[in-house]
Amino acid sequence: MEQVDELHHARQHRRFWERLPPALEEQFRQSQRMRYRYPRAILFLIAALAYGLAPVYEDDLLSPSAGFRPLFNLIQFGFVVPLTLAAGILTLAPVPLMLRRWAQVIGVLAFVGGVLLLRYHALRGELSYPPEMLGIVVIAVSFFGGFSSRRVVLLGGGLMVAGIWVELNAPSSLTPELNALSLFYMALIAVLGSLTQEWQARSAWINHRYVTALVRTDLLTGLSSRSEFNHLFPRLLAMGRRELKPLAVVFLDIDHFKRINDRYGHLFGDEVIRRVGRALSAHYARRPWDLCARFGGEEFVLACYDADLNSLAGQVADLLQAVRGLQLKAPENGGPVSISASAGALWVLPIEETVEQVLGEADALLYRAKDLGRNRGCVARHGTAAEIIEVA
């Protein structure tokens, strides 16, 4: 429930330029890294390929002078190709996050820095290289790299400033002001586009997380929802089958709940369900693999992994006592209201049992407890219906 509230607050109280709370922001950045993992790798590999294939087209398109050719080859094969290629490989490789980040930063610097160097020497008349290439590369990095907008602003803005300075101070540029203006507009497109793209991605991510949390959480009790239990319990059963670990499944139903609703009203009935759910979440099924969900209406379900058969009856008795011990007050006069519950608990070491079989047996034990007069529980081991233990 706290997660739902946090996500709702983040959705409602975030402006265009604001980031999410730190924990959510880190989760968002992690999702962005996974989402742009392959696009980033492709971007770096395209850069390495473009520079690596330069000997094929350089004479026809770039026309480097004979004196500049050694430096030209050094720029391409000395640092741009190896650094961008390494960045692409490390982006896909299972390496530490910090190493991957630095490889990507160095790869971007090599990619854009190589273009800046080539443009600088083009302005000195040593080769033919259009001014738009720097802007195109920065826009490509900002849109297809998925990097944070702050990094795009710092990196792209800094390199654009350097590019504009080169254009304005070039000795042989025919239209330095026009080239500088073009670079400025390209930088503006890259920065604003990155900000907009990140804002849209962050909004889509937080909305998806919020909807997912709503589906997984019962809003009245804060427990897992029925759909979340249906999603996780088959996995828990399969894990018990694989690891040869037993499970305990407990169904709990509030006794005579319709009478409570009819006498005290539905709002009080909601409070009863809320208090029972709070008691369950506070004391039971707290281990990582345990499940505690509202199954529907006034019925709850618990699934305990690696459960002990000898202590299960005592746990069910404690569970029933926790419900009886809830201090509820009638809405009209504040008088005490006593409630009780019935429970059915099944212990099973899963081998070939299906989800339907396990839940069906546990539900049958719950109805057995109701038939015996309610306010009690029935505990049994799977396949031993004649050995039911009654607890009160």
Side-chain angles (χ1 to χ4, degrees), residues 313-325:
Q315 291 174 349
V316 172
D318 292 342
L319 187 65
L320 296 175
Q321 184 57 41
V323 175
R324 298 188 197 106

Side-chain angles (χ1 to χ4, degrees), residues 166-189:
V166 168
E167 292 290 339
L168 294 178
N169 291 272
S172 60
S173 178
L174 299 177
T175 57
E177 293 83 3
L178 182 60
N179 292 341
L181 185 63
S182 298
L183 289 176
F184 170 76
Y185 281 126
M186 288 184 184
L188 191 62
I189 291 172

Side-chain angles (χ1 to χ4, degrees), residues 139-319:
I139 290 175
V141 170
S142 65
F143 275 85
F144 299 103
F147 300 103
S148 68
S149 58
R150 293 183 180 182
R151 293 184 179 181
V152 172
V153 170
L154 293 174
L155 181 63
L159 290 172
M160 278 300 177
V161 169
I164 291 172
W165 183 88
V166 168
E167 292 290 339
L168 294 178
N169 291 272
S172 60
S173 178
L174 299 177
T175 57
E177 293 83 3
L178 182 60
N179 292 341
L181 185 63
S182 298
L183 289 176
F184 170 76
Y185 281 126
M186 288 184 184
L188 191 62
I189 291 172
V191 170
L192 295 181
S194 177
L195 286 169
T196 303
Q197 188 180 43
E198 185 177 273
W199 178 77
Q200 291 176 335
R202 189 178 279 109
S203 298
W205 181 84
I206 194 69
N207 288 333
H208 175 73
R209 285 291 304 273
Y210 179 65
V211 172
T212 302
L214 287 179
V215 172
R216 292 178 174 177
T217 306
D218 177 68
L219 297 183
L220 183 60
T221 63
L223 303 177
S224 296
S225 65
R226 169 77 176 271
S227 63
E228 178 71 352
F229 180 84
N230 290 342
H231 175 68
L232 294 178
F233 183 70
R235 298 184 179 184
L236 194 66
L237 190 66
M239 187 171 66
R241 185 182 300 116
R242 184 174 60 254
E243 299 180 357
L244 298 178
K245 296 291 186 180
L247 277 71
V249 179
V250 182
F251 275 108
L252 182 138
D253 189 89
I254 302 173
D255 292 333
H256 304 298
F257 185 74
K258 186 177 184 303
R259 296 181 187 176
I260 297 174
N261 268 339
D262 292 342
R263 180 174 179 180
Y264 300 107
H266 287 83
L267 293 180
F268 182 77
D270 287 348
E271 177 63 17
V272 170
I273 292 176
R274 189 181 297 111
R275 293 284 299 277
V276 172
R278 192 179 303 164
L280 295 180
S281 63
H283 301 289
Y284 302 96
R286 301 184 66 182
R287 297 178 302 175
W289 290 110
D290 293 347
L291 301 177
C292 184
R294 183 183 176 196
F295 204 68
E298 68 275 17
E299 190 171 3
F300 301 84
V301 61
L302 295 88
C304 301
Y305 188 71
D306 195 13
D308 180 21
L309 176 61
N310 296 324
S311 62
L312 182 57
Q315 291 174 349
V316 172
D318 292 342
L319 187 65

